[in-house]
Amino acid sequence: MTSPFDPTDFPEPTLIPVNGVELEVFEAGRQNAGRPIVLCHGWPEHAFSWRHQVPALVAAGFHVIVPNQRGYGDSSRPAEVTAYDIDHLSGDLVALLDHYGYDDATFVGHDWGAMVVWGLTLLHPHRVNAVINLSLPYQERGEKPWIEFMEEVLGGDFYFVHFNRQPGVADAVLEENTLRFLRNMYRRNVPLGRPEPGMVMINLANAETPLGEPLMSDSELAVFVSAFEKSGFTGSINWYRNLDRNWRLLADVNPIIQQPALMIYGDRDAVQRSEKLTDFVPNVEVISLDCGHWIPQEKPEETNRAILKWLDHVVL
């Protein structure tokens, strides 16, 4: 088991104005200017979820840039739901590259961060030189909007659908039970969404007895809890509320990603693997680690080795 991480060892944040908002950015390895790598967190996470990867990437010669994306931490939280669509989220990352003076960078995403990185690569391919995504594979656009399709297949209680059809309900429950929700959410080797994929998020907020081993120490967990107690959950959940809007925004975009890509799955993750990944990402390498959903935190050393080995052989 990995030793607990001292939160005081994480880089100090800077608020950077980009794309009409401010992003709270944690940066390390500026001495490695010219080799940027941007790490994009998932939901309900924080830039701190990459704490184990930052020092390894800096030591390997990268300028590591880790934003709290809009809706998270001390980054801006616009009131409009549509301010969290893929156009805005990818635009933030493009503007962040502009801020640092980079034409392109390697982008790494986990969970929802992976969705953003896939979308960024489709919308701004010239700004992405390589893709590394964890847990969430490329999502084929399909014939029906994503939430509409999920509602037909998984029902109205599936949390993606619930977030959209009952706005504000889950937000309030999670905000009333932030510590319990996050403590129950962050467990090792537990397939996210099982055994009750429908109301799983509200169930986690109300459950007295969580499943699995804690993912992090109390001091690590406190970083996430403090951030969400301050920000609330609405901004981050609004990412889900733009899925069908994103489906429409991507209608006329070339769906094929040509950049070299690394896809890392967790063997015990409930997120389904893509059977058509190479159809849309032809230059992808796929590996699996023996863990659940929180891959960078559950298997930090193995994740670092896999990323660095792959980067060592990729021509950027």
Side-chain angles (χ1 to χ4, degrees), residues 1-296:
M1 179 176 174
T2 304
S3 299
F5 187 95
D6 182 352
T8 62
D9 289 341
F10 203 61
E12 289 294 319
T14 302
L15 285 177
I16 297 177
V18 296
N19 197 30
V21 296
E22 285 187 321
L23 295 186
E24 181 183 27
V25 179
F26 302 81
E27 176 195 2
R30 184 171 285 214
Q31 69 274 16
N32 301 323
R35 298 191 74 198
I37 189 165
V38 183
L39 311 183
C40 302
H41 62 78
W43 185 88
E45 292 190 281
H46 186 278
F48 188 65
S49 64
W50 296 108
R51 61 196 177 279
H52 301 292
Q53 283 66 56
V54 171
L57 289 166
V58 170
F62 288 91
H63 179 192
V64 185
I65 301 165
V66 195
N68 266 331
Q69 297 175 85
R70 63 169 67 194
Y72 289 84
D74 284 331
S75 293
S76 297
R77 299 185 294 276
E80 301 82 4
V81 173
T82 56
Y84 298 87
D85 66 23
I86 192 61
D87 186 49
H88 287 87
L89 294 174
S90 62
D92 292 349
L93 298 176
V94 167
L96 194 58
L97 291 188
D98 291 342
H99 170 82
Y100 286 106
Y102 290 126
D103 292 332
D104 58 24
T106 299
F107 283 86
V108 185
H110 169 251
D111 181 81
W112 245 109
M115 176 77 85
V116 173
V117 170
W118 293 126
L120 166 71
T121 310
L122 292 175
L123 292 169
H124 304 278
H126 61 291
R127 306 307 297 267
V128 181
N129 58 42
V131 171
I132 301 172
N133 277 331
L134 299 91
S135 180
L136 189 74
Y138 180 99
Q139 301 297 294
E140 181 182 355
R141 186 171 172 274
E143 296 182 357
K144 293 184 178 181
W146 284 309
I147 295 300
E148 180 181 329
F149 174 77
M150 290 180 193
E151 189 167 21
E152 288 182 6
V153 175
L154 299 170
D157 282 345
F158 183 60
Y159 70 98
F160 276 68
V161 180
H162 184 274
F163 287 168
N164 278 267
R165 303 301 187 234
Q166 300 188 48
V169 175
D171 317 36
V173 172
L174 302 187
E175 287 166 15
E176 290 172 6
N177 301 278
T178 300
L179 172 59
R180 180 161 41 184
F181 169 60
L182 295 176
R183 184 185 62 214
N184 293 347
M185 171 74 86
Y186 297 135
R187 317 299 287 191
R188 292 180 181 276
N189 297 324
V190 176
L192 184 65
R194 300 285 176 84
E196 300 173 273
M199 300 298 289
V200 64
M201 299 307 165
I202 290 178
N203 292 340
L204 283 169
N206 293 323
E208 295 290 346
T209 306
L211 299 173
E213 176 189 345
L215 178 63
M216 58 187 85
S217 68
D218 289 345
S219 61
E220 291 172 308
L221 178 62
V223 174
F224 295 83
V225 173
S226 175
F228 279 101
E229 285 180 341
K230 183 175 182 179
S231 69
F233 286 88
T234 297
S236 62
I237 293 177
N238 280 344
W239 292 30
Y240 290 86
R241 294 177 177 134
N242 278 281
L243 275 168
D244 283 357
R245 179 177 172 84
N246 294 346
W247 182 87
R248 295 181 177 89
L249 287 170
L250 295 171
D252 298 322
V253 176
N254 181 350
I256 307 302
I257 287 177
Q258 297 292 351
Q259 286 84 343
L262 174 65
M263 181 67 223
I264 303 178
Y265 291 113
D267 286 333
R268 309 188 197 194
D269 193 351
V271 176
Q272 291 188 350
R273 302 184 182 213
S274 171
E275 296 180 356
K276 298 182 178 180
L277 184 59
T278 55
D279 292 346
F280 295 93
V281 192
N283 299 311
V284 67
E285 179 179 335
V286 178
I287 67 170
S288 299
L289 299 178
D290 182 20
C291 62
H293 182 69
W294 313 107
I295 300 169

